[in-house]
Amino acid sequence: MTEIPGWTRAPDPSVVPPSFAANGYPVRSPVPSTAVRTEARPIADYALLSDCQGAALVARDGSVDWLCLPRFDSASVFARLLDSSAGHWWIRPAGAFNASRAYVDTTMVLRTEFRTDTGTLHATDALAVDPNASGRALGREVPHTLLRVVECTEGSVRIAVEFAPRPDYGAIRPLLAPADGGLVCQFGSGSLVLSSPVRLTGRATARGRLVLRAGERAAFALQYVPLGGRRRLWSQETIGQALQTTLDGWRSWAALNQRYEGPWKDAVHLSGRILQALTYAPTGAVVAAPTTSLPEAVGGERNWDYRFSWARDGSFTLRALAIAACPGEAQAFFTWMARTASAEGPADGNPLQVLYGVDGERELTERTLHHLTGWGGSRPVRIGNDAWRQRQLDIYGELLDAAYQLRGRLDRLDAHGRRFLVSLADAAAVHWREPDHGIWEVRGRPQHFVYSKLMCWVALDRAIALADELEAVARVPDWISARAEIRAAIEEQGWSVRAHAYAQAFGSDLLDASALMLPITGFVQPDDVRARATVAAVRERLTDPSGLVHRYQRVDDGLVGEEGAFLMCSFWLAHSLALMGEIAEAREMFERAAACANDLGLLAEEADPGSGQLLGNFPQALSHIGLVNAAWAIGQAEAAGQR
């Protein structure tokens, strides 16, 4: 065992990759206990908490190093994730310990077991949901409160508490005012109220200690209160009730929604809960990740704010939830997207932009926080995302494909929503000939990306199939004509003779993993010669020595530095192999990508090809979407082979 004062265990390259539980997520070997000072905790060290409005990340040693309330995109309260001085709150044994953790059954409530020389401590952490929350109402109303309950289960344990709020991404160092039963911290946009059974002392950082014996517990609650809101301290009983309510709310949602029974059932259900946790319940918007500026390469500049709702990610999420759960969120998402897009009134005729704030905000101007050093020294730290200014034509197809996959579940879609979907098909028919910045949001010049053309084809193909439901039968002849033009263009200009594969862009010989979507979307049949050649090319030229897939062959994309293997692309390859009947290879690819998950089953955006270290924002919706879809495809292929 080892003291862990403010740093964490470095990854041990000798630890073998995880094995898999039956139908489950990775089971890793125990984390080595050697403490090594590192510049940053491994991203895999964190667990996600969510109330479906805001999010927190909790480290294995009991430190909350990231907290954004009341929304995913709110300025952080704790941001030690990005700078050691930017705020944290830890509750943990005061001496040496070993730690293990898991989510409580079908919830997003975290339980960590700390074993010390003198006893065992269980810590339970959650972002509280409303007392009336259940099933599809999960997260609609929440108290914006982080709950932390510690209980000694055997022996006795000395516990250290340190509370260092640093609002506005660490720019504010507020004074802490003692109150009867806790502390109050005031700052510009509101206040924090900490309910504590322990006396905490300190002006900007408060500390305290307590000893618990077997059967004793202590409960803490940290509530965000907006300006003008009522501040109140919570009793031990109230905190306990709130924790039970939160457990019941998540269990109710899972029982109502999660029906998947195929391969890797536990991992798929977990991914479904993570996608729900990344959904902003009041509007139905889905954030790409709950963090900002976790780098795609340590020390690099590819550090982005993902706490917004991309039309693409939201559409992918709905399709994945159709597998991992029964998505009551579909109606809310399409209603929100239709309302948000129609309010924009774009001058260029595009019916929507690439991404929005979770409440429909359009201007998400990017800026740099120069006072933060970044995770592992990776600067810049950015908030906002200038991709909102880009044109990405693929989003038409992603939205219409989601609507198609959920047909029959959108029966309450009103005339406004139907017009919105029709406008997407019309926009695809008009704009498909134009260059754009593509799915990877390159910061260089626009190009004629094959994936963007493909998804315009998908938009028209799905709109034709939905024409009756959309009350748009009169538009079908024009859509059929445009769809045929796109197909001809992709087949003539998107195929590279030199690469012997569908290329990244018209006239290019560069490979791009997004070409794997050609068979997945049905543009070509899985046994098509060109489809098989493209999959073979990706396996040969975009797969690194670890067996994971990179997004594209490296060229000048407007940014300096490298990036890791992209987990979504690795799952795409598994999905494509399953469609082609190569089930053993698909399973191998799936398990290789899923093995990048941390001990809780959470996936980041990327993985370092050499060390396997998780990279990029965390947890990442796209990675979990890829896992769900690939697991389903493999299950379907296996079932077809048995018939």
Side-chain angles (χ1 to χ4, degrees), residues 155-167:
S156 64
V157 180
R158 291 182 302 116
I159 300 168
V161 181
E162 183 166 295
F163 178 66
R166 301 291 185 265

Side-chain angles (χ1 to χ4, degrees), residues 46-62:
Y46 288 100
L48 170 69
L49 305 179
S50 169
D51 59 7
C52 302
Q53 292 195 26
L57 293 185
V58 187
R60 184 188 301 273
D61 69 352

Side-chain angles (χ1 to χ4, degrees), residues 432 450 488-496 503 505-508:
W432 73 267
V450 169
I490 292 174
E491 290 177 344
E492 293 169 11
Q493 301 177 62
W495 176 260
S496 166
F506 284 2
S508 170

Side-chain angles (χ1 to χ4, degrees), residues 210-440:
L210 72 154
V211 176
L212 292 181
R213 295 173 177 82
E216 295 179 340
R217 62 161 36 189
F220 301 77
L222 178 63
Q223 183 176 31
Y224 168 82
V225 181
L227 284 175
R230 182 185 171 207
R231 296 199 298 258
R232 66 183 181 90
L233 291 158
W234 291 24
S235 68
Q236 294 288 288
E237 181 182 8
T238 299
I239 297 171
Q241 291 171 345
L243 179 58
Q244 187 60 53
T245 294
T246 301
L247 286 163
D248 291 344
W250 278 104
R251 286 167 174 155
S252 175
W253 182 88
L256 178 65
N257 291 292
Q258 301 211 284
R259 297 284 187 268
Y260 176 81
E261 293 293 337
W264 300 286
K265 173 183 172 181
D266 289 346
V268 169
H269 282 187
L270 172 64
S271 291
R273 291 193 293 277
I274 292 167
L275 294 174
Q276 172 65 19
L278 298 179
T279 299
Y280 184 68
T283 63
V286 180
V287 296
T291 57
T292 181
S293 300
L294 292 180
E296 297 177 17
V298 180
E301 70 165 344
R302 298 170 187 266
N303 316 322
W304 314 111
D305 193 346
Y306 275 10
R307 298 170 301 153
F308 307 112
S309 184
W310 272 254
R312 175 189 306 112
D313 294 46
S315 304
F316 283 167
T317 297
L318 292 185
R319 295 205 299 273
L321 282 173
I323 298 168
C326 180
E329 294 78 12
Q331 181 70 32
F333 174 79
F334 276 107
T335 299
W336 171 76
M337 184 61 74
R339 184 183 70 244
T340 300
S342 65
E344 185 176 0
D348 65 357
N350 280 296
L352 76 164
Q353 65 185 44
V354 176
L355 69 151
Y356 299 91
V358 295
D359 206 24
E361 298 87 352
R362 296 173 196 82
E363 187 170 330
L364 306 171
T365 301
E366 197 173 284
R367 65 186 179 95
T368 298
L369 301 180
H370 296 284
H371 66 285
L372 297 179
T373 57
W375 184 91
S378 302
R379 284 176 161 167
V381 173
R382 296 179 171 98
I383 57 174
N385 196 308
D386 277 346
W388 73 273
R389 306 176 190 273
Q390 291 187 353
R391 172 175 292 185
Q392 296 172 26
L393 301 178
D394 62 288
I395 55 180
Y396 307 140
E398 272 119 20
L399 280 161
L400 273 160
D401 191 45
Y404 177 76
Q405 298 296 334
L406 295 163
R407 61 194 182 281
R409 303 184 191 186
L410 297 174
D411 54 343
R412 296 191 304 276
L413 198 63
D414 59 16
H416 181 67
R418 290 192 295 272
R419 285 195 299 271
F420 167 65
L421 293 177
V422 170
S423 74
L424 298 180
D426 286 340
V430 170
H431 295 292
W432 73 267
R433 297 179 182 83
E434 301 167 5
D436 73 338
H437 289 90
I439 183 176
W440 307 129

Side-chain angles (χ1 to χ4, degrees), residues 38 42 57 113 122 192 290 420 517 527 559:
T38 59
L57 293 185
E113 181 181 86
H122 283 180
L192 297 171
F420 167 65
M517 289 297 289
D527 59 356
L559 296 166

